[in-house]
Amino acid sequence: MAVSRASLQQKLKKLIYKFRIYGDFMVGVPFGNGHVNDTYLLTFDQGGVRLNYVLQRINGAVFKEPVKVMENVDRVTKHILTKIQKTHSETQKRTIRLLRSHDDLPYVFDDNGNCWRAYIYIERARAYDVLETPEQAFGIAHAFGEFQQQLIDLPGERLHDTIPDFHNTPKRIEQLEQAIKEDKAGRVKDVQKEIDFILSRKEDASLLVRLNQSGDIPERITHNDTKSNNILIDDLSGEGICVIDLDTVMPGLSLYDFGDMVRTCTSPAEEDETDLRKVFMRFDMYEALFSGFCESAGAFMTAAERENLANAGKIITLEIGTRFLTDYLSGDKYFKIKRANHNLERCRSQLKLVSSIEEQMNDMLNLLKD
Ligand code: GN1
Ligand code: MG
């Protein structure tokens, strides 16, 4: 244990000095709750002052072209910085600031070919896995809506599709059907109820993709992973201050971003809660998301996008539940797990949330009429 701890410190130290950074490396510790990348918080002594940085290994199995991921993140953060410089006197906490390597790139590679990036840790702000108040939900939706708004005029060519068909819900269901056929881990027999639940909603699940294909809802630049914990909430002001985890920023549909907020901001329980009585959509949280998003995204939202806000949460919650189940059936190859049935537990809580959203569909639609 002692040896591996020391070797981790050596490894982190070697990596972080591949970036242009001032001061003495003190310590690095694992950080955050991501299901995909490896994240560390590093502390530096800079002339007697302690400063923290986040260092992350991009998961190469998930992001096959990490350089493209970083090109997207770099362009997007630079663009956002130019925007907030015009509107805010203090910009330090309002966007991720990437460190640059000695070759002036926003990433480095280790000896095993893994891609790493680093940024300045934002102090006195935090990310919430479960929200406590509607004000937080409002702030999160407002911030993600503003993020889309800021990127509407991103100059240059289309961003890279770093994970093609990332939010193609019908494709995700096809992948589930394939995993059922293959039954690699011999688990299909235990999850017939979950499979039936998902497959009986196939038609509903394809709605947003169909609306995009028919030209009714446009492609935009979206975040694509708008979990509650991908916004930092300022400790003092309570404002949703900074959008983080930009790995999946790419062309996408605005409604998937809104939907993932419904999935992660409205339930009083964690994504992997096993007591399903605790998993449901709190309507006051939905209302707060709706208001926050309309306030910042309302100006550019089309009528068809607006009309489908109520469907978005259901569709992406079904999509993520489908992905968890697919991974469970495939032997837990994609998402990091902490226990044997973790992906199944995650799937079940998502499906419970889908049911709760369905029950409240009329109330959600009524909100649109007002
Ligand atoms: C993954 O890495 P993390 O936890 O931010 C996943 C998202 C899922 C999410 C479910 C690249 O995000 O798509 O919605 O888990 N990211 C990727 O919690 O697959
Ligand atoms: Mg993520």
Side-chain angles (χ1 to χ4, degrees):
M1 190 65 200
V3 175
S4 73
R5 193 182 176 280
S7 71
L8 173 68
Q9 299 306 309
Q10 277 313 313
K11 178 174 118 177
L12 297 176
K13 184 174 176 180
K14 194 172 156 197
L15 278 161
I16 194 72
Y17 281 122
K18 288 175 181 265
F19 292 94
R20 287 189 205 136
I21 194 164
Y22 159 73
D24 299 318
F25 170 79
M26 292 172 69
V27 69
V29 291
F31 185 66
N33 285 338
H35 297 348
V36 170
N37 295 325
D38 299 337
T39 308
Y40 301 91
L41 185 69
L42 272 55
T43 304
F44 267 70
D45 179 343
Q46 300 185 333
V49 178
R50 285 188 183 188
L51 259 116
N52 294 314
Y53 294 86
V54 177
L55 177 67
Q56 279 183 314
R57 182 184 74 91
I58 300 179
N59 183 331
V62 169
F63 297 102
K64 309 264 191 272
E65 296 182 284
V67 170
K68 290 192 173 166
V69 170
M70 291 316 297
E71 283 172 4
N72 282 356
V73 177
D74 198 30
R75 280 179 63 194
V76 161
T77 50
K78 278 181 178 155
H79 185 69
I80 290 179
L81 186 63
T82 62
K83 295 248 152 150
I84 56 181
Q85 275 165 344
K86 290 182 192 139
T87 50
H88 294 87
S89 52
E90 177 270 314
T91 57
Q92 304 251 321
K93 293 175 92 168
R94 290 181 186 271
T95 184
I96 284 177
R97 282 170 300 153
L98 291 166
L99 300 193
R100 304 198 84 82
S101 70
H102 296 287
D103 311 323
D104 201 29
L105 294 170
Y107 54 85
V108 301
F109 280 92
D110 67 17
D111 300 338
N112 302 318
N114 294 301
C115 185
W116 294 73
R117 44 76 194 294
Y119 46 89
I120 302 171
Y121 176 73
I122 296 177
E123 304 282 350
R124 290 176 291 280
R126 71 192 75 182
Y128 291 80
D129 293 334
V130 175
L131 297 192
E132 287 151 10
T133 65
E135 288 72 30
Q136 292 175 334
F138 181 95
I140 285 180
H142 192 276
F144 277 126
E146 189 172 39
F147 181 81
Q148 288 186 1
Q149 153 82 50
Q150 287 164 334
L151 295 173
I152 277 182
D153 59 351
L154 181 80
E157 57 193 58
R158 192 171 175 272
L159 289 180
H160 306 295
D161 283 305
T162 48
I163 305 184
D165 290 319
F166 190 58
H167 287 309
N168 185 328
T169 314
K171 276 242 167 85
R172 295 295 190 178
I173 295 184
E174 278 170 30
Q175 287 161 357
L176 172 65
E177 290 172 318
Q178 187 61 30
I180 296 168
K181 253 187 232 152
E182 292 174 7
D183 196 13
K184 279 190 184 143
R187 290 169 164 175
V188 169
K189 60 184 184 333
D190 308 320
V191 296
Q192 201 51 53
K193 217 172 91 195
E194 288 74 17
I195 292 175
D196 293 344
F197 184 101
I198 294 170
L199 297 187
S200 67
R201 286 164 177 78
K202 240 171 130 169
E203 179 71 15
D204 299 353
S206 65
L207 177 67
L208 300 183
V209 169
R210 277 186 279 128
L211 286 171
N212 174 241
Q213 283 165 352
S214 61
D216 288 304
I217 57 175
E219 175 183 290
R220 300 185 183 282
I221 298 175
T222 52
H223 181 282
N224 295 305
D225 188 13
T226 52
K227 301 203 306 196
S228 63
N229 62 12
N230 278 336
I231 291 271
L232 298 180
I233 297 187
D234 189 77
D235 285 346
L236 268 181
S237 69
E239 186 189 352
I241 196 159
C242 184
V243 176
I244 59 171
D245 190 359
L246 304 183
D247 294 333
T248 49
V249 67
M250 60 181 152
L253 304 182
S254 172
L255 287 168
Y256 276 107
D257 277 6
F258 182 71
D260 214 30
M261 293 183 240
V262 179
R263 182 179 78 84
T264 58
C265 297
T266 65
S267 173
E270 306 252 357
E271 189 181 59
D272 57 0
E273 176 61 57
T274 52
D275 180 353
L276 297 183
R277 289 168 304 183
K278 294 186 183 155
V279 180
F280 56 91
M281 183 174 87
R282 293 174 284 183
F283 197 73
D284 59 338
M285 298 299 248
Y286 177 78
E287 274 176 315
L289 289 176
F290 179 83
S291 311
F293 197 65
C294 287
E295 192 171 291
S296 57
F300 64 81
M301 223 188 280
T302 65
E305 283 174 322
R306 224 183 112 72
E307 279 160 25
N308 284 286
L309 285 168
N311 290 319
K314 169 178 162 170
I315 293 172
I316 196 162
T317 308
L318 194 63
E319 175 185 298
I320 306 294
T322 301
R323 289 176 61 196
F324 286 142
L325 187 59
T326 304
D327 199 32
Y328 180 71
L329 295 182
S330 316
D332 306 308
K333 299 284 185 256
Y334 187 97
F335 296 106
K336 290 182 185 175
I337 53 165
K338 292 185 180 145
R339 42 186 187 269
N341 285 342
H342 207 167
N343 273 318
L344 179 58
E345 290 165 4
R346 288 168 173 153
C347 163
R348 288 186 171 145
S349 74
Q350 301 311 292
L351 302 189
K352 168 66 204 296
L353 187 56
V354 169
S355 298
S356 173
I357 297 174
E358 285 176 344
E359 283 161 16
Q360 300 177 72
M361 194 53 85
N362 279 336
D363 298 330
M364 296 163 86
L365 290 170
N366 283 336
L367 208 57
L368 275 173
K369 287 187 201 140
D370 294 342

